[in-house]
């Protein structure tokens, strides 16, 4: 097995060929989950003026030396009004949340701490602290300040921030289009009932969903037979997308025609087979193109769990890199406590599906009963993958293990 590529080396090789797609401009309302290709810079101060954080009364601190001071009301200031003249000494200004603070005001006393027996005067039941309930001009953002960096994902809160600072259009990376092609003479459409010797094409559905979950465009090219001419034509179509994911046909079988066909079509092979379980037969290559990052080609093993795990470990980081996210060159693992006993035996590092155990003081995981790379039913509820090193060992409940985090 010494000739097999390690998982960490395989990820590095994949990411070496994955580069962010070119920037495009998007209207802000259509940019949810896009990745910024350029920093966002504010065209305003926020707040644009000193503003009140409360409904209440604006005063000079020196005019309220003691609880129970009564002052005449000299003006009323609503949100949306432009800043008014200086506050007359010895008076209070009634002010609403978000309204501009007049010059001279040192504090705002919230309305709940005041009483007003007559419309033109107010009794203040608090001695104010200078600056209280006042948000100073530019306290949050100064004009010209960078509020978001390239590589950041536009979440709802960040979309709001863009709106606040005048970024009505944003520069984001073009989303990758990902073609998905399932190979195999035994496959029928998922909408059909399989005949003798046939199974439904579950991988195309699983992979298209995984692509969409990662905010890329999925283009399903359906099923292609293990027949050279048909495979060639289908792959040619797939190579029009930024990424081509094939399922099946990369093992050692007589009809595993995918690697040879890809190379005939000019795809440059980077690796075939890695030291892991499930997913050993993984094939990866790229097709250079002028002016844009290379097209990436993943030949995933046909077994559904192998396909899913290979997607998680290698395709997902690549798609995120293409989308412009900052992606580590290494898989991130977190230590966690095993909640159950696991008897493990394998000649390769093995990724086992597991559930997080909630309500524990230490992060804990429970592995799922799982029958291997063809057992999608045993795998389907997984929340995380636990990595077990090669060898034969019984892991006791309570032992620490490594859980894949990205
Ligand atoms: P292969 O990698 O082509 O040798 O296929 C390995 C195993 O995965 C075989 O048992 C196939 O029947 C199964 N398989 C291949 N393609 C798919 C698919 N698209 N959906 C479900 N199972 C598949
Ligand atoms: Mg096959």
């Amino acid at each position: 097995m010494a000739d097999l590529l390690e998982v960490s080396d395989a990820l590095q090789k994949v990411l070496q060929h994955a580069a962010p797609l070119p920037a495009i401009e998007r209207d802000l309302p259509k940019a949810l989950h896009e990745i910024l290709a350029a920093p966002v810079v504010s065209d305003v101060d926020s707040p644009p003026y000193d503003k009140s954080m409360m409904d209440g009364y604006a005063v000079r601190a020196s005019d309220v030396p003691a609880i129970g001071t009564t002052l005449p009301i000299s003006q009323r200031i609503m949100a949306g009004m432009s800043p008014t003249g200086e506050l007359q000494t010895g008076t209070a200004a009634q002010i609403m949340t978000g309204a501009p603070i007049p010059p001279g005001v040192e504090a705002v006393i919230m309305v709940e701490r005041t009483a007003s027996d007559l419309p033109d005067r107010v009794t203040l039941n608090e001695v104010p602290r200078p600056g209280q309930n006042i948000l100073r001009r530019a306290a949050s953002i100064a004009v010209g300040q960078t509020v978001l960096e390239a590589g950041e994902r536009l979440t709802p809160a960040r979309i709001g921030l863009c709106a606040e600072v005048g970024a009505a259009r944003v520069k984001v990376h073009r989303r990758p289009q990902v073609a998905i092609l399932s190979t195999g003479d035994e496959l029928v459409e998922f909408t059909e009932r399989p005949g003798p010797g046939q199974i439904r094409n579950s991988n195309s559905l699983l992979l298209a969903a995984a692509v969409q979950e990662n905010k890329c465009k999925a283009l399903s090219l359906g099923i292609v037979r293990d027949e050279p001419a048909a495979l060639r034509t289908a792959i040619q179509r797939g190579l029009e997308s930024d990424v081509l994911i094939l399922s099946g046909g990369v093992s050692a079988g007589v009809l595993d025609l995918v690697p040879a066909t890809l190379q005939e079509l000019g795809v440059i092979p980077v690796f075939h087979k890695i030291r892991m379980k499930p997913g050993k037969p993984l094939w990866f290559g790229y097709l250079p193109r002028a002016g844009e990052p290379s097209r990436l080609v993943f030949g995933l093993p046909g077994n559904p769990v192998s396909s899913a795990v290979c997607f998680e470990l290698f395709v997902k980081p690549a798609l995120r890199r293409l989308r412009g996210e900052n992606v580590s060159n290494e898989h991130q693992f977190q230590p966690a406590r095993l909640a159950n006993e696991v008897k493990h035996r394998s000649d390769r590092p093995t990724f086992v599906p597991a559930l997080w155990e909630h309500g524990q003081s230490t992060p804990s995981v429970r592995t799922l009963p799982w029958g291997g790379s063809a057992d999608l039913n045993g795998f389907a509820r997984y929340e995380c993958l636990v990595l077990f090193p090669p060898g034969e060992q019984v892991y006791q409940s309570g032992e620490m293990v490594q859980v894949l985090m990205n």
Side-chain angles (χ1 to χ4, degrees), residues 7-18 313-314 317-318 321 325-333 406:
V7 167
S8 54
D9 296 334
L11 178 63
Q12 299 218 357
K13 285 185 190 291
V14 167
L15 291 178
Q16 261 168 29
H17 296 282
L313 268 90
F314 303 105
R321 173 75 58 91
E325 270 184 86
N326 301 318
V327 178
S328 167
N329 279 326
E330 281 157 28
H331 290 118
Q332 308 293 309
F333 290 92
N406 51 348

Side-chain angles (χ1 to χ4, degrees), residues 183-184 186 226 248-249 256:
T183 73
E186 72 278 35
D226 295 317
D256 289 334

Side-chain angles (χ1 to χ4, degrees), residues 120-363:
D120 60 351
R121 67 178 194 186
V122 62
T123 300
L124 304 156
N125 296 322
E126 176 180 57
V127 174
R129 209 169 21 79
Q132 103 180 8
N133 296 328
I134 296 174
L135 190 62
R136 293 291 170 198
R137 174 177 182 159
S140 168
I141 304 166
V143 64
Q145 185 181 331
T146 296
V147 294
L148 292 171
E149 302 286 351
E152 291 199 84
R153 179 192 285 249
L154 288 173
T155 58
R158 292 172 189 165
I159 296 253
L161 180 59
C162 287
E164 181 179 358
V165 302
R169 280 173 74 73
V170 283
K171 270 208 173 110
V172 300
H173 292 281
R174 181 165 73 69
R175 281 193 189 203
Q177 175 169 293
V178 182
I180 297 154
L181 182 60
S182 283
T183 73
D185 287 336
E186 72 278 35
L187 301 178
V188 298
E189 294 297 343
F190 68 99
T191 47
E192 285 172 28
R193 191 165 183 86
Q198 296 184 322
I199 58 166
R200 293 192 181 100
N201 171 18
S202 56
N203 285 352
S204 282
L205 279 287
L206 186 158
L207 293 168
V211 165
Q212 288 167 334
E213 191 173 62
N214 286 281
K215 315 297 176 207
C216 297
K217 290 184 237 165
L219 176 68
S220 187
L221 299 181
I223 299 166
V224 62
R225 301 291 159 215
D226 295 317
E227 191 272 303
L231 190 60
R232 204 185 151 91
T233 309
I235 288 176
Q236 264 171 332
R237 249 198 95 193
L239 288 173
E240 290 166 12
S241 292
D242 299 301
V243 178
L244 169 59
I245 304 177
L246 290 126
S247 133
V250 288
S251 308
V254 180
L255 290 180
D256 289 334
L257 308 167
V258 166
T261 312
L262 285 168
Q263 285 176 71
E264 273 169 44
L265 291 169
V267 180
I268 299 167
V270 176
F271 63 77
H272 188 189
K273 296 195 167 71
I274 46 181
R275 203 166 80 94
M276 75 178 237
K277 190 180 170 177
K280 177 178 151 195
L282 178 67
W283 192 98
F284 172 72
Y286 67 100
L287 184 65
R289 60 177 157 177
E292 290 217 338
S294 299
R295 299 176 206 272
L296 306 183
V297 182
F298 294 89
L300 306 188
N303 270 310
V305 178
S306 309
S307 251
V309 171
C310 285
F311 185 96
E312 194 70 34
L313 268 90
F314 303 105
V315 184
K316 188 165 131 182
L319 295 184
R320 290 179 52 200
R321 173 75 58 91
L322 260 61
R323 296 217 327 110
E325 270 184 86
N326 301 318
V327 178
S328 167
N329 279 326
E330 281 157 28
H331 290 118
Q332 308 293 309
F333 290 92
Q334 180 187 312
R337 206 172 283 288
L338 256 187
N340 58 313
E341 185 191 279
V342 177
K343 292 193 180 75
H344 176 70
R345 199 183 75 150
S346 170
D347 56 352
R348 283 166 275 151
T350 304
F351 290 86
V352 173
L355 300 177
W356 288 107
E357 288 266 300
H358 298 288
Q360 308 294 317
S361 51
T362 313

